[in-house]
Amino acid sequence: MYVAVKGGEKAIDNAHSWLAEERRGDVAVPDLTVDQIREQMALAVHRVMAEGSLYDPDLAALAIKQARGDLIEAIFLIRAYRTTLPRLGHSRPIETDDMACDRRISATFKDLPGGQVLGPTFDYTHRLLDFKLAAEGEALADTAPIAPVDQAPMPRVTEFLNRDGLIQTEQASDATPPDMTRAPMAYPAGRPLRLQALSRGDEGFLLGMAYSSQRGYARNHPFVGELRIGKVPVSMEIPELGFDIEIGEITVTECETVNQFAGSKTEPAQFTRGYGLVFGQTERKAISMALVDRALRWQELGEDNVGAPAQDEEFVISHSDNIQATGFLEHIKLPHYVDFQSELELVRRMRLAAGADEVKEAAE
Amino acid sequence: MSQEYNFAYLDEQTKRMIRRAILKGLAIPGYQVPFASREMPMPYGWGTGGVQVTAACLTPADTLKVIDQGADDTTNAVSIRKFFERTAGVATTESTRDATVIQTRHRIPEEPLTEDQILVYQVPIPEPLRFLEPRETETRVMHALEDYGLMHVKLYEDIARNGEIATAYAYPVKVEERYVMDPSPIPKFDNPRLESAAIQLFGAGREQRIYALPPYTQVVSLDFEDHPFNPSKADHPCALCGADHTYLDEVITDDQGGRMFVCSDTDYCSRRQADGHRGDMAPPVLEALS
């Protein structure tokens, strides 16, 4: 006997209770605090802020806790929350020239004004599991030495090249950039929108796209001209006051690549640029962004479109957002039995027709 | 929650922006209007477009019905109905007749709608040409030039290969002899009911598009003179209410090939049973409404 599918509401409530229980895990193990996540899972927090497009380490840490460590789910929580926030205005552009750098490296010069600063990087760690971390009551073995405060400015590598005309000059513009969160995307999107989309795009997707360009799908010889990570002040003009005030500071990662360009008969050979800027300490993402940005600039720089995915603006932007992608991908879990039923009937009817034909042929 | 968020969740500016898109859609039936879709607290692909359109249409006096696959009690329909109960505090119903706004996924209710009703569709891919041409830049030009040759070639190739048009749901339609439109993934059985007295609004959140059919708009399912459109359904009556004119779900009843066919529109089916219609496998009369 057919039992009507009822009880969806109760099933959902029960699923939510079970989820809450699983999120907490074994109650004999102490509850993880949001502070602990913010301080000790900082790079996860940074990724959630970057792809969630909301700079708030506490909320990002809360989202990670609520999402049981599923970062895309955490990003989704942040995005949904972000939509409800009022828009009070916009800040001045941040000035990364004045960044208080924790890390600043250049792969194109051995040494340079301001020096190479490795900062807190995994780069030269040997990837060996540190079982001391698993031991109870971890104590900081040795604290990092503190360098004397160095006020030496850190000028941009690309500016050295620009001074000699060796790198393509970026055109300055005072035009108000479009805002992808307030207007529907239309193609061609143009570079400001592209950079916005890449900055909040999925790290894994951009990594794959950037990697594909390195392996020859629209290869453009990138060097990391400069990578810098650190804090920059954010200021805003308050109309009632008539001047700028600093409203806080944020950590960002900026990557500028220097790429080869052959030049043409009319233009002398020049290096070209790719640019990445991402919230938080997110250098894999910032480098990926710079490579993809550069690949997408083929038209502007007079290169051939070789049909590589990384050159295709509509392809890259339409598929870089992990919240859109995961939602649509996972929606196929929803009931589709009405559609499936209509296909079932169609396939049965077509098979019946094919079977009838076979019988007819045999008879002839 | 209703205290912390604005009525129907979205702020008034956003609702105004969506209403403008809806009005433009109604003015140009079948045309896909880009709109600045917001991130909703439910996943893209799960009805965010429909939810935004519903949010922009709801007033406190409305009565909302939400269905998925024709049923009020499927999980996602429950979830969306709950969302509006919490954020808008509107009355909800499972009765098609009593609803002023109906949000749907994959079905049009069996009962004819009236001029006092709005039907809101959740749309995954609004572009009917998308699977023929993946680029938005191209398809927009094709619509502008009314260049639908590619679609007719596809339908023709279907007939050449399979003997009939191999599209069973999301069957493309032409609106007022102008725009080819995706009616969302409703079974083609529902296509004739796209010509309706109600306002029909289509929301695609992830793809940032809204489109609309004003009441009594002409909607023609694409076909050929020698292969006319055929809104097929399973060749059975409903096992519960006996209806032979409704769209049916096939339910597997055992592992021996046993199956039964029942109305996909659960409200319509239970109303018929209440009116005394009985199918082959209908439960005894008193239990029918439990």
Side-chain angles (χ1 to χ4, degrees), chain B residues 47-64:
Chain B
T48 54
V51 166
Q52 290 179 77
V53 169
T54 298
C57 290
L58 279 181
T59 68
D62 273 311
T63 302
L64 178 69

Side-chain angles (χ1 to χ4, degrees), chain A residues 296-309:
Chain A
L296 289 172
R297 300 181 76 183
W298 62 272
Q299 201 161 21
E300 174 195 346
L301 298 171
E303 294 172 336
D304 291 334
N305 182 352
V306 297

Side-chain angles (χ1 to χ4, degrees), chain B residues 6-23 35 40 48-60 62 64 83-84 87-88 101 103 118 120 201 210:
Chain B
N6 194 34
F7 175 78
Y9 186 74
L10 295 172
D11 61 277
E12 293 304 315
Q13 285 301 325
T14 299
K15 283 196 258 182
R16 187 175 297 172
M17 175 271 293
I18 294 170
R19 286 176 195 138
R20 274 199 289 262
I22 291 171
L23 290 175
F35 82 112
M40 300 301 286
T48 54
V51 166
Q52 290 179 77
V53 169
T54 298
C57 290
L58 279 181
T59 68
D62 273 311
L64 178 69
F83 176 75
F84 283 114
T87 59
V101 178
Q103 180 167 333
I118 299 176
V120 178
L201 305 174
I210 284 171

Side-chain angles (χ1 to χ4, degrees), chain B residues 112-141:
Chain B
L113 301 179
T114 69
E115 290 177 0
D116 300 324
Q117 293 179 307
I118 299 176
L119 183 60
V120 178
Y121 296 76
Q122 302 172 199
V123 182
I125 304 272
E127 179 49 71
L129 306 170
R130 179 62 68 240
F131 301 109
L132 306 172
E133 167 52 62
R135 267 170 214 289
E136 183 67 16
T137 37
E138 294 293 327
T139 53
R140 283 189 83 76
V141 171

Side-chain angles (χ1 to χ4, degrees), chain A residues 128-319:
Chain A
L128 302 171
L129 277 176
D130 181 359
F131 293 102
K132 275 187 295 186
L133 290 177
E136 293 291 326
E138 176 210 356
L140 211 52
D142 34 24
T143 46
I146 295 171
V149 178
D150 187 0
Q151 297 289 1
M154 289 182 174
R156 282 167 189 285
V157 168
T158 48
E159 281 316 299
F160 307 149
L161 296 169
N162 198 29
R163 204 170 305 134
D164 300 334
L166 289 171
I167 196 163
Q168 141 254 343
T169 305
E170 298 288 28
Q171 297 304 316
S173 166
D174 285 329
T176 304
D179 182 346
M180 66 175 295
T181 67
R182 283 294 178 274
M185 187 62 75
Y187 300 104
R191 197 163 178 231
L193 270 181
R194 262 181 355 222
L195 291 171
Q196 284 173 37
L198 296 178
S199 190
R200 57 154 47 186
D202 181 72
E203 178 177 310
F205 177 82
L206 292 183
L207 173 64
M209 280 289 135
Y211 179 48
S212 74
S213 79
Q214 283 185 293
R215 284 194 64 258
Y217 291 80
R219 179 163 165 77
N220 53 46
H221 283 281
F223 299 104
V224 172
E226 182 164 351
L227 176 77
R228 46 172 75 192
I229 304 175
K231 288 195 164 68
V232 289
V234 179
S235 61
M236 199 173 156
E237 190 194 332
I238 308 298
E240 291 84 346
L241 301 176
F243 53 85
D244 291 355
I245 59 165
E246 206 174 295
I247 55 173
E249 57 179 16
I250 61 174
T251 297
V252 295
T253 302
E254 184 185 50
C255 176
E256 287 186 284
T257 56
V258 176
N259 302 67
Q260 210 173 46
F261 175 51
S264 65
K265 276 179 189 148
T266 52
E267 280 183 66
Q270 243 185 350
F271 291 107
T272 56
R273 310 174 191 235
Y275 186 72
L277 180 74
V278 186
F279 278 162
Q281 183 176 344
T282 44
E283 76 182 56
R284 183 185 300 122
K285 164 84 177 277
I287 299 170
S288 302
M289 175 174 168
L291 263 61
V292 175
D293 170 50
R294 176 61 187 78
L296 289 172
R297 300 181 76 183
W298 62 272
Q299 201 161 21
E300 174 195 346
L301 298 171
E303 294 172 336
D304 291 334
N305 182 352
V306 297
Q311 287 180 306
D312 188 331
E313 178 188 85
E314 186 175 337
F315 179 83
V316 171
I317 296 182
S318 304
H319 303 116

Side-chain angles (χ1 to χ4, degrees), chain B residues 236-264:
Chain B
H236 298 269
C238 171
L240 296 180
C241 77
D244 58 2
H245 58 282
T246 58
Y247 191 74
L248 302 173
D249 293 334
E250 181 173 335
V251 181
I252 309 285
T253 50
D254 56 38
D255 58 0
Q256 308 297 314
R259 66 196 66 209
M260 64 188 287
F261 291 85
V262 292
C263 288
S264 125

